[in-house]
Amino acid sequence: MKNVVGLFLVLAVLVGIPSLELAFAAGDEPGEYMDRRVLIWNLFFKMMTVAFVVGAVVSGTIIWQCWRFRESHPKAKPTAYEGTDW
């Protein structure tokens, strides 16, 4: 139960901080308005950068594991659970 509360607390902080940042982004002086299109494009660009990096790491890890643990690998040995000992 404690883990669930901690997870929701982290998610609330991750959602709350950007919301507060946008709420207080406009200045107090008249004429200092935020351009929402620029903020949305900036957020989109940041999130796409993160998505491409995470995707590249995950794809690279999957490719490495498939290459390393293929059946034709010279150093591949069956595990103890497969019933044969070398």
Side-chain angles (χ1 to χ4, degrees):
M1 184 68 182
K2 192 187 317 182
N3 292 337
V4 173
V5 172
L7 176 67
F8 283 129
L9 182 63
V10 168
L11 290 175
V13 169
L14 288 174
V15 170
I17 288 175
S19 300
L20 288 173
E21 182 180 334
L22 284 177
F24 294 113
D28 294 334
E29 299 295 324
E32 293 183 20
Y33 298 105
M34 61 180 179
D35 189 0
R36 290 183 190 269
R37 291 178 298 153
V38 173
L39 290 175
I40 290 170
W41 178 254
N42 189 23
L43 181 62
F44 172 76
F45 180 75
K46 286 180 183 179
M47 296 304 283
M48 288 304 293
T49 304
V50 169
F52 279 121
V53 169
V54 169
V57 169
V58 169
S59 297
T61 303
I62 290 172
I63 290 170
W64 175 79
Q65 286 201 351
C66 289
W67 183 258
R68 171 63 179 88
F69 296 106
R70 67 191 188 277
E71 286 186 31
S72 64
H73 194 273
K75 293 183 181 179
K77 291 191 253 182
T79 63
Y81 299 107
E82 293 174 309
T84 56
D85 291 328
W86 286 35

